Amino acid sequence: MASYILKRLLLMIPTLFGVMLITFVITQFVPGGPVEQLIHQMKGGGTGGEASGATTSFYRGDKGMDEERIAKLKALYGFDKPAHERFWEMMKRYAAFDLGESYFHHQSVSQLIVSKLPVSISLGLWTFFIVYLTSIPLGVAKAVRDGSTFDLVTSTVILVGYAIPGFLLGIMLLVLLGGGSFWDVFPLRGLVSDHWATLSWPSRILDYLWHMVLPVTASVVGGFAVMTMLTKNSFIEEIRKQYVLTARAKGLSENVVLYKHVFRNAMIPLVTGFPAAFIGAFFTGSLLIETIFSLDGLGLLSYESVLKRDYPVVLGTLYFYTLLGLVAKLLSDLSYVLIDPRIQFESAP
């Protein structure tokens, strides 16, 4: 086991290096970089976020500017050095978990990520637990009642929910329950109210939960279908195996057969994906959900950094996400051994 973990950890290095190298090379050929955007702003061309339709004027605008001034701007952003030097310096900093400083936010990328985490953690954590705690019992119930009216009705409901895009459901919820055209029940924007700091702790908790109802609902509805059907199919596959027939022939009750023998084997494909899903839930915030409900999270940060060509944020967050993804994948593989001792990574001598 130790040798396998060591091999996987060593394999992460070239994988991470390759992802960062490809992304870095791509950014070198994207027009309208931070220098061009700053030149455009200095000439009164608008804000840096307006990249669409303005990228062509960036290169026309810098032709009339003094070359010495342009060189100073390039030095300001570090573009006075060759690309390979900038890449190696960046990777050295990343190895020490120094993700650099944003061009436009004027603070470190690490601080930006930490400041956006409350929104992403809120959406991710609630979505993850609600989906898992609802879909697994529902999938088991559907497997036991396979082909029944209950199975048909629940399948129809969750598939309809799966077919509705999350952002469209979010708009519908705002219109119906956010004071758009009908009932003003839930708040329209933000993670908490403006006067949240003046509330008592019980009131703060209720205020936070009240703000999370609509965005979490819009996020979770589409996730029920995949997890529920995966649970159902996994249980049905196990129920049809020979050891289940043997257990029933011995006179064991249906609950003992289902929850003592079938449950553990059927949950293997679900539980082994738990680490990756748990970590990923925090960092896969929906841009559209955050925009609709005015939540300033990691999804919105990533989108804005791409528009503004804020390369330290783009590359720094990518490094962070990739590293977490590789660790989550390793934890998922190791969970196989913990759940099913029959699986061994080392080959027998």
Side-chain angles (χ1 to χ4, degrees):
M1 176 68 72
S3 61
Y4 174 79
I5 296 176
L6 180 60
K7 290 178 183 178
R8 288 295 301 271
L9 291 175
L10 293 176
L11 185 60
M12 289 182 186
I13 298 175
T15 304
L16 190 60
F17 183 87
V19 171
M20 298 308 300
L21 177 61
I22 293 174
T23 308
F24 182 85
V25 170
I26 292 175
T27 59
Q28 304 309 301
F29 297 97
V30 176
V35 174
E36 288 78 14
Q37 293 211 23
L38 183 57
I39 293 173
H40 186 66
Q41 293 180 47
M42 294 172 64
K43 287 181 170 292
T47 59
E50 300 168 355
S52 59
T55 51
T56 55
S57 64
F58 291 155
Y59 292 97
R60 292 196 303 268
D62 63 5
K63 291 181 180 179
M65 181 168 283
D66 182 71
E67 291 293 335
E68 183 179 353
R69 195 172 186 183
I70 294 177
K72 290 181 179 180
L73 291 177
K74 290 183 178 180
L76 176 65
Y77 289 113
F79 289 101
D80 57 328
K81 300 177 182 179
H84 67 277
E85 288 187 14
R86 288 186 280 117
F87 178 75
W88 282 114
E89 289 180 1
M90 180 188 74
M91 293 305 297
K92 289 178 182 178
R93 293 197 312 270
Y94 285 1
F97 294 98
D98 178 8
L99 302 182
E101 184 172 336
S102 169
Y103 291 152
F104 297 94
H105 294 277
H106 305 296
Q107 62 181 123
S108 69
V109 177
S110 300
Q111 291 177 344
L112 276 174
I113 293 176
V114 171
S115 67
K116 309 298 182 182
L117 276 180
V119 170
S120 298
I121 288 178
S122 296
L123 284 175
L125 190 65
W126 287 113
T127 300
F128 175 82
F129 280 114
I130 291 175
V131 169
Y132 264 78
L133 294 178
T134 302
S135 298
I136 291 178
L138 180 59
V140 175
K142 288 173 62 63
V144 174
R145 300 172 179 83
D146 185 36
S148 65
T149 303
F150 170 80
D151 182 34
L152 178 62
V153 172
T154 53
S155 294
T156 302
V157 172
I158 63 174
L159 289 176
V160 169
Y162 181 72
I164 300 176
F167 71 91
L168 180 59
L169 179 60
I171 295 174
M172 293 171 56
L173 291 174
L174 282 180
V175 172
L176 291 174
L177 302 174
S181 300
F182 295 90
W183 301 282
D184 188 5
V185 179
F186 297 98
L188 287 173
R189 61 181 63 85
L191 201 61
V192 293
S193 299
D194 295 335
H195 62 287
W196 184 81
T198 64
L199 300 175
S200 61
W201 277 108
S203 299
R204 290 183 182 185
I205 295 174
L206 290 176
D207 181 77
Y208 162 75
L209 294 176
W210 205 241
H211 278 77
M212 293 307 301
V213 170
L214 295 186
V216 169
T217 301
S219 299
V220 303
V221 169
F224 287 131
V226 175
M227 185 58 60
T228 301
M229 300 309 295
L230 180 61
T231 303
K232 175 190 173 182
N233 294 335
S234 181
F235 268 80
I236 289 178
E237 182 180 356
E238 292 296 324
I239 289 173
R240 293 173 178 173
K241 290 185 177 180
Q242 186 64 40
Y243 75 90
V244 177
L245 299 177
T246 304
R248 287 171 174 169
K250 290 180 178 180
L252 298 179
S253 65
E254 192 64 24
N255 285 336
V256 172
V257 173
L258 182 62
Y259 294 105
K260 185 177 181 180
H261 296 278
V262 174
F263 189 82
R264 180 173 181 177
N265 293 327
M267 289 299 293
I268 290 178
L270 302 177
V271 177
T272 51
F274 185 92
F278 185 76
I279 294 177
F282 298 105
F283 304 103
T284 55
S286 172
L287 167 64
L288 295 175
I289 295 296
E290 291 180 9
T291 302
I292 291 171
F293 294 99
S294 300
L295 300 173
D296 190 12
L298 290 173
L300 192 58
L301 173 66
S302 301
Y303 174 71
E304 290 179 347
S305 64
V306 171
L307 283 185
K308 295 179 179 179
R309 307 298 192 268
D310 197 348
Y311 295 144
V313 177
V314 173
L315 296 170
T317 53
L318 176 65
Y319 177 85
F320 185 54
Y321 297 157
T322 304
L323 185 60
L324 284 177
L326 292 173
V327 173
K329 181 61 178 176
L330 175 60
L331 294 177
S332 296
D333 292 342
L334 295 178
S335 63
Y336 274 101
V337 178
L338 300 177
I339 297 172
D340 190 352
R342 297 171 298 177
I343 299 177
Q344 298 292 332
F345 292 120
E346 286 87 359
S347 57

